[in-house]
Amino acid sequence: MTFLIQPCRHFQKAKAGNANEILKRLEDYLKDNESTPIQILCGFWKDQQAAITYQELRQAVIEGVMTKETFNLWSKDYSILVQNKLHYVWEDAMKAGSVSQPILLDLQRFTFHSSHAINWIQNHGAEFVTVVTQEQKGAISALLARAVREKHSVDELAKFIRPCIGLTEPQAKANLRYYENMVANLKEQHPRMKTESVQKKAREAAAKYAEKQHRQRAMTIAQTEMATAYNKGADEAIRQAQAQKLMGTVIKRWCTSGDDMVCEQCRALEGLELAMDDRFQMGNGWNAGENLTPPAHPRCACAIEYIEIEPMAYTNENLPEMKVSIIQQNSLKEYSTEEIESIAAQTEEIASKHISIPSKWSGNMIIDDKGIQNPDGTIVNYGKLWNCDILTSHETSPLIILHEQIHARSISYCDSSFYYIYGNIEEATVQFMTEEICKYEGIEIIESDYYKTVDALKQIGRYIGIHKTDYDFAKFMIEMPVTERLDWISDNLYATLGRNTKATIEEYENWSDLLNMLYV
């Protein structure tokens, strides 16, 4: 197999003086927030040590290998750790990174959508589980190697292993050398001491050493993982600003502290400027397949400075173009199954052109003229189901199908229970975006049950006045997590009213009535 290596595109350096500020923000964030993941990890390893029995460890020493079931349990433990705790550490770090770039501070209309980060967190979590489980497996396997077992008794080694659970292979080997040196020194200094007493004292010392090693490893993981998510958050924020047509062409510059603590690898990257999608050379085996942002190695404290070299010029030409064969008049009619599937393929492509959030639609169209019965007895003929199939009948329209596909880019990122909390704002936002896309693409807009809430949302958006067009406002809202929309609308509506010194009580009441329509 051969690989074509293309040289990175270099740019003439632009003037920028924000590197120190960006690095300081990263440094402060790591210092202020590392204690929580360190405590989480150290406590987690203690629990893993307590969960395995002496008999299981003894049997592992006899057989020279830990059971596959034990490794599977450890992998499951790490998966639960990621889901219940580390997920939030990464999410918080990404949010902090998203506001770390000075060039974003002047974008008053920009909002970071954390839902865009979900896929990265999920993928990164899976990679994390695989890596740390393999590291733990390698450490225990090293302690169960034949050469080690031949030097120690079964009981001695079984008792030694437990405090080493959670260490890496180099750490476990270092701890074993420490233990063996302690045994040798105690025998030399106290020749009359019983072997059991010598081993016990050496194990106690090695266990204390293991606690320090665990904390060192936890600190390394905490700093590296938070720095990874923090830098990824900054990168995602820039990309979202570009997707929202608020920022033009951007390059990224690698920044180091510039002091004697910077390693040779990072020093070689200092000041290197690349296009957004170009990759930094970080060496083999680290951050494989990524290399878009720091860190370059564990505990790396480098950051990226993003520099806009060509501002975005707003014109209607920035809107995506899409030519479709969808019928434009009398679109609510009987369609065959093949026609519905063809329309769905077209509308999904259209949605992808206008909305940057990935779709969770399964790709399946459930066509049932009888509909589906809800638990309350009502019949539903159209809808985005919670398994992300889309339900319709043969009597349908492109707008209806597009509406449901947009749901798959919005409420589908939440649990089904969220619909009962945010149903009105979800339907209003989805229908608003659907109609704006239809206007642009020439798709017929048919009558909707949501016209009142859509009109309320549209009026509020125009009054707030942040976005230039209804399309811009609709796109902004649909790409915001559904759980954040009402707070954003309420905050900005009353802030706008507050700036209007001539606003009357009646105006407050009228706007409040419109806002209340968006609540369930």
Side-chain angles (χ1 to χ4, degrees):
M1 182 180 292
T2 60
F3 296 88
L4 177 62
I5 307 298
Q6 295 182 338
C8 294
R9 302 190 299 275
H10 292 262
F11 294 87
Q12 183 178 359
K13 289 188 177 182
K15 291 183 179 180
N18 296 318
N20 289 336
E21 180 182 354
I22 292 169
L23 288 164
K24 183 65 165 55
R25 289 179 180 178
L26 172 59
E27 179 185 4
D28 290 345
Y29 181 81
L30 296 179
K31 287 181 179 179
D32 293 342
N33 294 276
E34 68 181 7
S35 61
T36 297
I38 289 173
Q39 291 174 0
I40 289 172
L41 288 165
C42 288
F44 171 79
W45 290 322
K46 282 286 186 183
D47 291 341
Q48 279 196 325
Q49 294 165 19
I52 194 166
T53 67
Y54 171 70
Q55 291 300 326
E56 289 174 319
L57 290 171
R58 196 175 187 281
Q59 189 63 32
V61 174
I62 293 173
E63 296 178 359
V65 63
M66 194 74 78
T67 65
K68 184 178 180 180
E69 289 76 12
T70 299
F71 289 130
N72 289 339
L73 283 173
W74 283 348
S75 179
K76 185 177 180 180
D77 288 343
Y78 277 110
S79 296
I80 294 172
L81 175 69
V82 166
Q83 182 179 356
N84 294 344
K85 295 184 178 180
L86 294 185
H87 175 279
Y88 301 103
V89 172
W90 289 324
E91 187 173 0
D92 289 344
M94 289 191 78
K95 288 180 180 178
S98 72
V99 296
S100 65
Q101 294 294 316
I103 64 171
L104 290 172
L105 298 181
D106 294 331
L107 303 181
Q108 297 179 359
R109 294 189 288 140
F110 174 70
T111 297
F112 180 74
H113 302 316
S114 57
S115 60
H116 288 220
I118 291 176
N119 286 339
W120 181 85
I121 290 176
Q122 290 176 340
N123 293 334
H124 185 69
E127 294 169 359
F128 177 84
V129 170
T130 300
V131 170
V132 293
T133 302
Q134 284 300 118
E135 287 178 341
Q136 194 156 307
K137 181 179 180 180
I140 301 303
S141 297
L143 297 179
L144 295 175
R146 181 176 180 181
V148 176
R149 288 183 288 125
E150 288 176 350
K151 292 176 62 177
H152 304 278
S153 68
V154 173
D155 290 338
E156 178 188 12
L157 196 53
K159 293 175 182 177
F160 169 80
I161 289 175
R162 176 180 278 115
C164 292
I165 293 174
L167 299 180
T168 63
E169 182 175 343
Q171 285 180 316
K173 289 180 176 179
N175 195 282
L176 181 61
R177 289 193 297 271
Y178 179 81
Y179 168 79
E180 291 173 342
N181 289 336
M182 285 293 298
V183 170
N185 289 338
L186 286 169
K187 284 182 177 180
E188 180 180 350
Q189 296 172 10
H190 308 280
R192 300 178 62 182
M193 184 180 292
K194 294 182 179 180
T195 300
E196 293 80 3
S197 299
V198 168
Q199 292 175 354
K200 181 179 179 181
K201 285 185 176 293
R203 279 199 311 274
E204 290 173 350
K208 290 182 179 179
Y209 177 39
E211 288 182 2
K212 294 180 180 179
Q213 290 177 301
H214 278 108
R215 185 163 182 82
Q216 290 171 350
R217 188 187 182 207
M219 184 176 293
T220 296
I221 291 176
Q223 292 182 353
T224 306
E225 289 298 316
M226 287 196 300
T228 300
Y230 184 98
N231 280 296
K232 180 57 63 175
D235 183 82
E236 177 63 26
I238 297 297
R239 294 177 187 275
Q240 287 187 24
Q242 291 178 310
Q244 295 174 28
K245 310 299 182 185
L246 300 175
M247 189 171 292
T249 304
V250 175
I251 61 173
K252 54 188 179 183
R253 173 187 290 170
W254 190 284
C255 302
T256 73
S257 62
D259 57 27
D260 294 337
M261 298 297 291
V262 178
C263 67
E264 293 184 5
Q265 182 179 9
C266 293
R267 188 177 296 115
L269 294 171
E270 167 65 28
L272 180 62
E273 295 177 355
L274 303 178
M276 285 291 291
D277 292 326
D278 284 344
R279 302 177 187 276
F280 294 100
Q281 298 299 315
M282 300 184 189
N284 297 326
W286 174 257
N287 215 2
E290 183 68 25
N291 290 7
L292 293 172
T293 57
H297 54 79
R299 293 205 186 190
C300 173
C302 293
I304 294 293
E305 179 181 9
Y306 294 90
I307 305 167
E308 186 179 27
I309 60 173
E310 185 177 342
M312 168 64 67
Y314 181 89
T315 67
N316 288 333
E317 295 176 356
N318 291 329
L319 296 178
E321 293 186 3
M322 184 73 189
K323 294 188 180 297
V324 297
S325 60
I326 296 174
I327 190 168
Q328 297 186 16
Q329 293 182 348
N330 302 319
S331 63
L332 181 60
K333 67 172 192 175
E334 290 280 341
Y335 290 94
S336 67
T337 298
E338 291 75 16
E339 287 174 325
I340 289 174
E341 290 176 346
S342 175
I343 291 171
Q346 293 179 65
T347 51
E348 176 64 9
E349 186 175 358
I350 288 170
S352 298
K353 295 289 184 179
H354 289 268
I355 304 172
S356 62
I357 300 174
S359 175
K360 296 180 81 68
W361 176 39
S362 66
N364 295 326
M365 294 297 296
I366 308 299
I367 305 170
D368 190 334
D369 293 335
K370 294 181 180 179
I372 294 178
Q373 187 174 17
N374 276 329
D376 61 3
T378 58
I379 300 297
V380 177
N381 296 102
Y382 308 97
K384 194 280 303 173
L385 307 181
W386 286 105
N387 65 356
C388 286
D389 292 346
I390 290 178
L391 170 70
T392 187
S393 65
H394 284 96
E395 184 180 29
T396 188
S397 77
L399 179 142
I400 291 174
I401 296 172
L402 177 60
H403 176 102
E404 303 306 337
Q405 288 170 328
I406 293 177
H407 275 308
R409 298 169 185 270
S410 180
I411 196 70
S412 289
Y413 280 89
C414 301
D415 183 82
S416 60
S417 61
F418 280 70
Y419 185 82
Y420 298 100
I421 304 173
Y422 301 104
N424 275 9
I425 185 62
E426 168 68 7
E427 293 294 354
T429 311
V430 167
Q431 183 63 19
F432 186 18
M433 186 74 244
T434 303
E435 292 180 4
E436 290 303 311
I437 291 176
C438 287
K439 290 176 185 176
Y440 190 80
E441 300 291 349
I443 300 171
E444 183 183 10
I445 299 174
I446 63 174
E447 185 177 350
S448 165
D449 292 336
Y450 308 119
Y451 71 94
K452 289 185 179 180
T453 52
V454 170
D455 185 62
L457 181 59
K458 191 181 301 183
Q459 286 189 54
I460 292 172
R462 290 173 179 175
Y463 181 69
I464 292 172
I466 293 178
H467 299 88
K468 295 183 178 180
T469 66
D470 287 344
Y471 174 92
D472 290 339
F473 181 52
K475 178 176 171 61
F476 173 78
M477 292 303 300
I478 200 65
E479 293 188 343
M480 181 186 299
V482 64
T483 55
E484 300 175 12
R485 292 173 194 165
L486 287 171
D487 286 342
W488 188 93
I489 293 170
S490 178
D491 290 346
N492 283 276
L493 172 60
Y494 288 114
T496 304
L497 281 167
R499 289 192 293 269
N500 183 3
T501 57
K502 297 181 180 180
T504 64
I505 295 176
E506 288 76 14
E507 286 181 281
Y508 270 89
E509 291 176 346
N510 289 337
W511 286 115
S512 294
D513 289 341
L514 286 176
L515 180 61
N516 288 336
M517 292 175 62
L518 301 176
Y519 286 83
V520 176

